[in-house]
Amino acid sequence: MASEIPVQELAQKSEDEVRERLAAGKLVEGLAHMSPQYLLGIRRILTVSADTELVSAPAYLRAAQHAPALNNFGSAVSIVQDELAHAHIGYRLLGDLGVDMNELIYERDPLAFKYPYAFDVPLDSWYELVLANALYDQAGFVLLSDVHRSSTFGPWKRALAKVDKEETFHLRHGRTWVRKLCADPGDKRALQASLNWMFMLTLEWFGLPDERKLHGIQLEYGFKGMGNDELRQAWMAEVVPFIDEVGLSVPAHFDAEQQRYVIDCPFPAAFDAERKQWLLDEGTISWDEVIVRWKGRGPMNREYVSRLQRGYRSRLEVAA
Ligand SMILES: [Fe+2]
Ligand SMILES: [Fe+2]
């Protein structure tokens, strides 16, 4: 990650002092309250969040060109504008935490961006845009609501009150359109075809199962309140009943005995990104194999990031 001054010099407290502050019920307001571990942890989660918001803008803009009418295009573009503002909040906070914002946003290699793999797969229709609002924005909402509740970093916690309201608008946009399109058999078939690849990619969004979880410190320092599996359950609890209600289908159901949602197909599974198809016949694969796919990134990674970086680079060339 881009940083000019080492974290040991920026973060002014010890780990014990941070724990004491948190135990006293106080929030962390800036570098003066952070330990090196806290600083690295909050930078990591802010980067994932800001990268996700940022890349959703070119992904949604690409799909917005399929808007059925001009006013629908306007709604989609206003969502894109919200996402850019959300990204700006995250990067601006990272700037306050000693990160070189220009380097982070405009000079970073596309492969080093930390957004969920789902955004690397192109959204090619209005169906896919509104499903992304209903599924991906719901995932964002579940994750950010958890941060809003449990975060110990005051400036982000307060900023998320506004972000949460806007995400509610995005997912309402998605649901309203999905309901409307489901009234027409042809539109409904098209939605189902897109849902078939998009649902499981969103399940993956929440990351490795809790027993495989890499960043325990996220829970300890209150960067997150819920574990990955709980978040995945919380997302399914919103999405699966809605999908049932509109008469579409997904491979998951609520199991009354276990009191939790159960996934009814191999998961995690291999995915053919070019054909947008799950290779379910191959059965369940390991998370290590999923990580290889995530790290290699998908078809749109380079194009989306270079699109976001283009203006900055061409301005530098003119100035040189
Ligand atoms: Fe957002
Ligand atoms: Fe959103």
Side-chain angles (χ1 to χ4, degrees):
M1 180 174 298
S3 166
E4 283 159 359
I5 305 169
V7 290
Q8 288 76 7
E9 286 171 40
L10 286 170
Q12 294 161 28
K13 292 283 188 287
S14 68
E15 305 306 326
D16 282 347
E17 284 171 314
V18 172
R19 290 194 177 101
E20 259 170 51
R21 182 179 183 86
L22 297 180
K26 291 183 189 156
L27 294 175
V28 169
E29 295 294 341
L31 288 168
H33 299 151
M34 291 185 186
S35 60
Q37 285 250 49
Y38 189 99
L39 178 55
L40 285 174
I42 193 74
R43 276 184 180 182
R44 185 186 301 116
I45 186 167
L46 272 171
T47 304
V48 172
S49 172
D51 286 355
T52 306
E53 302 282 11
L54 185 66
V55 84
S56 69
Y60 289 174
L61 192 59
R62 174 193 166 94
Q65 65 185 316
H66 301 286
L70 194 57
N71 61 332
N72 308 137
F73 180 74
S75 309
V77 169
S78 85
I79 292 175
V80 169
Q81 192 180 335
D82 287 346
E83 304 300 13
L84 290 172
H86 298 169
H88 183 71
I89 290 170
Y91 291 127
R92 181 55 227 277
L93 290 171
L94 282 160
D96 292 344
L97 299 178
V99 174
D100 180 331
M101 282 168 61
N102 280 346
E103 198 178 323
L104 186 70
I105 304 169
Y106 300 112
E107 295 174 20
R108 204 168 12 145
D109 189 287
L111 288 173
F113 275 72
K114 296 192 191 319
Y115 58 83
Y117 178 86
F119 277 120
D120 277 341
V121 184
L123 300 171
D124 289 317
S125 63
W126 187 251
Y127 303 106
E128 294 187 348
L129 177 68
V130 300
L131 276 174
N133 288 150
L135 304 178
Y136 299 176
D137 285 283
Q138 182 75 63
F141 185 77
V142 165
L143 287 161
L144 289 179
S145 305
D146 181 58
V147 172
H148 183 46
R149 265 191 313 272
S150 58
S151 180
T152 54
F153 183 41
W156 196 21
K157 199 181 180 82
R158 291 186 288 273
L160 284 176
K162 171 187 186 295
V163 175
D164 259 18
K165 288 198 179 70
E166 287 166 353
E167 292 302 344
T168 307
F169 161 67
H170 303 172
L171 66 97
R172 203 179 301 141
H173 178 259
R175 285 187 172 207
T176 305
W177 267 101
V178 168
R179 267 200 195 95
K180 186 170 157 175
L181 291 169
C182 277
D184 177 272
D187 287 333
K188 192 173 178 182
R189 270 195 302 278
L191 275 176
Q192 182 64 55
S194 297
L195 186 59
N196 290 348
W197 68 266
M198 294 174 74
F199 178 77
M200 279 176 66
L201 271 191
T202 331
L203 280 178
E204 271 187 6
W205 189 305
F206 298 93
L208 306 192
D210 291 327
E211 71 262 22
R212 292 280 322 260
K213 200 159 172 302
L214 301 172
H215 309 302
I217 197 150
Q218 290 191 337
L219 296 171
E220 192 191 338
Y221 276 166
F223 302 147
K224 285 171 87 172
M226 289 156 88
N228 291 354
D229 285 326
E230 285 176 283
L231 290 162
R232 201 173 351 252
Q233 285 288 325
W235 178 78
M236 282 193 277
E238 296 293 338
V239 167
V240 176
F242 171 71
I243 293 296
D244 290 346
E245 179 202 317
V246 296
L248 293 168
S249 71
V250 287
H253 73 278
F254 187 72
D255 184 301
E257 212 167 282
Q258 297 181 55
Q259 283 296 300
R260 64 196 302 276
Y261 282 87
V262 177
I263 299 166
D264 303 319
C265 68
F267 178 78
F271 182 64
D272 180 337
E274 299 300 331
R275 289 166 53 228
K276 297 186 179 175
Q277 256 177 33
W278 291 96
L279 308 177
L280 298 178
D281 293 347
E282 295 179 12
T284 305
I285 64 168
S286 71
W287 281 101
D288 288 335
E289 290 169 281
V290 178
I291 290 170
V292 170
R293 166 160 52 81
W294 287 350
K295 289 236 163 94
R297 303 261 40 152
M300 300 310 290
N301 168 252
R302 195 155 285 277
E303 185 178 323
Y304 286 159
V305 173
S306 62
R307 185 166 190 191
L308 291 161
Q309 294 177 337
R310 196 183 301 150
Y312 175 84
R313 287 177 189 270
S314 56
R315 190 177 57 82
L316 283 187
E317 280 160 22
V318 169

